């Protein structure tokens, strides 16, 4: 089971996470919710080894992939090239996946800088889902998608979770329900 124990993360004098502990069922989806500023994104950053914890223990996250709140695309590469570079797949596989999430064939020729916000979001999701690894960390992955696109992308995500341990940060209860989260963790803002 993946877990964190007594995690403390500070920014200056402020403690973002204070003795936070949680277990994440292996090969299942865990949803994490809570008010803005309670440390949800900070938790994912620590699990991705992008932010050091001041103390605590982390177990079971060897090679996670992620959808960040920001799309983090290389602007002058095509959508498929952005995916293949990061996920280690072929551009053909990336293009096939992009078509599954609603890209038009003409859109495949565009560089990331030319994509709409919803298109860039879909590239980020496909990139995370095609990357190999033991876990998938999703930070508000479906924000900004209209209902029809969200449904299509949700189906793609469900088909590509591949029994990986998944942490879904979301404010939308539909996300946890649609991805069949087996556990919901409500993070509290520390006073």
């Amino acid at each position: 089971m993946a877990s964190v124990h007594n995690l403390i993360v500070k920014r200056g004098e402020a403690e973002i996470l204070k003795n936070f502990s949680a277990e994440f069922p292996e090969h299942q989806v865990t949803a994490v919710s809570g008010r803005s500023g309670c440390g949800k994104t900070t938790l994912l950053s620590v699990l991705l080894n992008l932010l050091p914890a001041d103390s605590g223990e982390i177990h079971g996250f060897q090679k996670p992939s992620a959808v960040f709140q920001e799309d983090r695309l290389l602007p002058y590469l095509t959508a498929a090239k952005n995916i293949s570079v990061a996920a280690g797949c072929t551009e053909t596989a990336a293009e096939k996946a992009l078509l599954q999430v609603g890209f038009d064939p003409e859109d495949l020729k565009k560089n990331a800088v030319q994509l709409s916000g919803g298109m860039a979001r879909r590239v980020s999701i496909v990139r995370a889902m095609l990357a190999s690894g033991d876990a998938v960390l999703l930070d508000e992955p479906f924000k900004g998608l209209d209902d029809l696109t969200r449904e299509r992308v949700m189906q793609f995500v469900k088909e590509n979770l591949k029994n990986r341990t998944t942490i879904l940060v979301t404010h939308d209860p539909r996300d946890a329900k649609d991805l069949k989260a087996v556990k919901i963790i409500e993070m509290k803002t520390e006073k």
Side-chain angles (χ1 to χ4, degrees), residues 90 100 103 117 127 155 183:
T90 66
Q100 285 180 268
F103 264 60
R127 179 182 59 200
Q155 186 60 40
K183 183 175 184 178

Side-chain angles (χ1 to χ4, degrees), residues 85-104:
V85 164
C89 66
T90 66
E91 284 185 61
T92 302
E95 287 176 352
K96 181 180 175 188
L98 288 167
L99 293 171
Q100 285 180 268
V101 296
F103 264 60
D104 290 324

Side-chain angles (χ1 to χ4, degrees), residues 17-93:
L17 294 175
K18 183 177 182 178
N19 293 319
F20 179 77
S21 296
E23 292 185 339
F24 307 97
E26 206 169 337
H27 312 298
Q28 302 288 329
V29 177
T30 299
V32 177
S33 64
R35 299 178 84 129
S36 295
C38 70
K40 300 179 302 293
T41 297
T42 299
L43 171 64
L44 297 188
S45 295
V46 170
L47 296 177
L48 288 163
N49 214 15
L50 298 174
L51 181 68
D54 291 283
S55 65
E57 296 178 14
I58 301 169
H59 302 282
F61 295 94
Q62 302 303 315
K63 188 182 172 190
S65 63
V67 174
F68 299 94
Q69 283 189 22
E70 316 82 27
D71 298 313
R72 299 186 182 198
L73 302 179
L74 299 168
Y76 297 104
L77 295 181
T78 64
K81 189 69 171 174
N82 262 281
I83 293 165
S84 68
V85 164
C89 66
T90 66
E91 284 185 61
T92 302

Side-chain angles (χ1 to χ4, degrees), residues 124-139:
S124 298
I125 291 167
V126 169
R127 179 182 59 200
M129 300 317 298
L130 293 186
S132 63
D134 63 336
V136 181
L137 310 181
L138 307 170
D139 198 352

